[in-house]
Amino acid sequence: MAEFPPELRYLKTHEWAKLDGEHVIVGISDHAQDALGDVVYVELPEVDSRCSAGDEVAVVESVKAASDIYALVSGTIVEVNTTLEDAPETVNDAPYSDGWFFKVKVDDPTQLDSLLSANDYQKICEAEAH
């Protein structure tokens, strides 16, 4: 059964966001990593690059498919998870902790208010399964 941590916000495209001070940490959900299967490669964005909410900023590849990763907020990429370059399977093992993708210095933290709650995201995932 997939986990849906209530402190996170989500996109229907299966990314999650966590506000950490002035930064937003971004990754993919447990549901997404499970659907993808074994992650074999992650293409991360460039540090110091700008992104707008909805931009394609990274790619995750698995044994089944390649999927774009979208920015949930507008801002500047301040850090990427370089662990994923040598150990992309970390996304499968710990999607909400060590498997994060990048951090954004967010322009406006209230952008998170427009994202899905854990409960709403879980309903979308359950509907997809049927």
Side-chain angles (χ1 to χ4, degrees):
M1 183 76 180
E3 293 180 43
F4 302 92
E7 70 276 12
L8 304 179
R9 304 296 283 191
Y10 301 85
L11 282 180
K12 63 182 177 183
T13 52
H14 308 293
E15 292 84 359
W16 59 262
K18 178 181 179 183
L19 186 61
D20 182 24
E22 63 183 9
H23 298 138
V24 172
I25 304 168
V26 176
I28 63 170
S29 70
D30 188 31
H31 174 82
Q33 71 77 24
D34 186 56
L36 280 170
D38 293 336
V39 173
V40 295
Y41 177 73
V42 177
E43 181 181 316
L44 297 167
E46 293 289 322
V47 172
D48 295 328
S49 61
R50 293 271 312 151
C51 62
S52 295
D55 285 356
E56 298 172 8
V57 294
V59 176
V60 59
E61 293 183 18
S62 73
V63 294
K64 293 182 182 177
S67 298
D68 293 322
I69 304 301
Y70 298 93
L72 290 88
V73 295
S74 299
T76 303
I77 307 288
V78 293
E79 186 179 346
V80 296
N81 187 354
T82 55
T83 299
L84 301 182
E85 293 170 357
D86 294 324
E89 68 277 4
T90 305
V91 174
N92 296 113
D93 297 338
Y96 297 122
S97 56
D98 296 339
W100 61 276
F101 283 42
F102 56 90
K103 295 181 183 179
V104 178
K105 182 176 184 200
V106 64
D107 292 341
D108 178 6
T110 63
Q111 292 176 17
L112 291 169
D113 296 342
S114 65
L115 301 176
L116 297 167
S117 68
N119 191 39
D120 290 341
Y121 175 68
Q122 184 172 359
K123 288 176 184 173
I124 289 171
C125 293
E126 289 170 354
E128 285 180 357
H130 296 322

